[in-house]
Amino acid sequence: MPWNEAALSTCTSSFSGTPAPAQTTADASYAPEVRQYEYRGTWVIVAADEYDLGSITPLRQALHTAVRQYPKVVLDASAITFADSTFLNLLILAHRTGKLRLVAPSPQVRRLCEITGVDSVLEIRRTIEEAAAS
């Protein structure tokens, strides 16, 4: 399934059903940390901080590029302190486009994956080494 930018930019409000803005402007200076590197032929993205509609752009860009260029992408989610449905949508989209592994999700991310059933769709590993080998 190809990467679909429109899937992320056409999120709808759960209250009104109207299209939500592609990016909020509440704090334009805020950008969560995203680090990237190659490990044994796998592209590793290390995400930290909070991810929601207003802050997802750096992670979206990193995953978008990675799933197009590498046969396997690993997302280290151990330092994510908050994530919402925008984050989950991004994970599913990346998984459908390429081979995504989620590593060491923080308790908040793990719980979000469990209550939504995403943990049964994504491959979740304990370590980057384990994810690279799978």
Side-chain angles (χ1 to χ4, degrees), residues 75-79 102-107 110 124-128:
L75 176 61
D76 180 341
S78 60
L102 186 63
V103 170
S106 65
R110 179 170 293 282
I124 300 175
R125 302 288 187 246
R126 292 179 300 161
T127 66
I128 292 169

Side-chain angles (χ1 to χ4, degrees), residues 30 32-33 47-52 55 59 76-84 87 104-112:
Y30 175 73
E33 179 183 355
D49 299 322
E50 301 178 356
Y51 291 95
D52 59 19
S55 62
L59 183 57
D76 180 341
S78 60
I80 296 176
T81 57
F82 174 81
D84 69 1
F87 174 80
S106 65
Q108 195 276 339
V109 171
R110 179 170 293 282
R111 179 73 178 132
L112 185 62

Side-chain angles (χ1 to χ4, degrees), residues 13-134:
S13 164
S14 61
F15 297 109
S16 66
T18 59
Q23 189 173 9
T24 63
T25 57
D27 185 1
S29 65
Y30 175 73
E33 179 183 355
V34 176
R35 293 181 294 125
Q36 305 177 58
Y37 61 92
E38 187 172 330
Y39 177 79
R40 297 183 181 174
T42 299
W43 194 249
V44 178
I45 298 171
V46 181
D49 299 322
E50 301 178 356
Y51 291 95
D52 59 19
L53 187 61
S55 62
I56 198 77
T57 301
L59 183 57
R60 182 180 66 221
Q61 290 170 341
L63 280 170
H64 177 82
T65 300
V67 297
R68 291 189 175 327
Q69 295 180 358
Y70 289 86
K72 189 184 306 180
V73 177
V74 170
L75 176 61
D76 180 341
S78 60
I80 296 176
T81 57
F82 174 81
D84 69 1
S85 61
T86 307
F87 174 80
L88 285 179
N89 188 37
L90 177 61
L91 294 184
I92 293 167
L93 184 60
H95 173 72
R96 291 175 62 182
T97 303
K99 195 172 185 179
L100 177 68
R101 303 285 188 266
L102 186 63
V103 170
S106 65
Q108 195 276 339
V109 171
R110 179 170 293 282
R111 179 73 178 132
L112 185 62
C113 289
E114 289 171 356
I115 63 174
T116 59
V118 170
D119 63 333
S120 66
V121 175
L122 295 178
E123 291 193 36
I124 300 175
R125 302 288 187 246
R126 292 179 300 161
T127 66
I128 292 169
E129 294 80 15
E130 221 180 84
S134 66

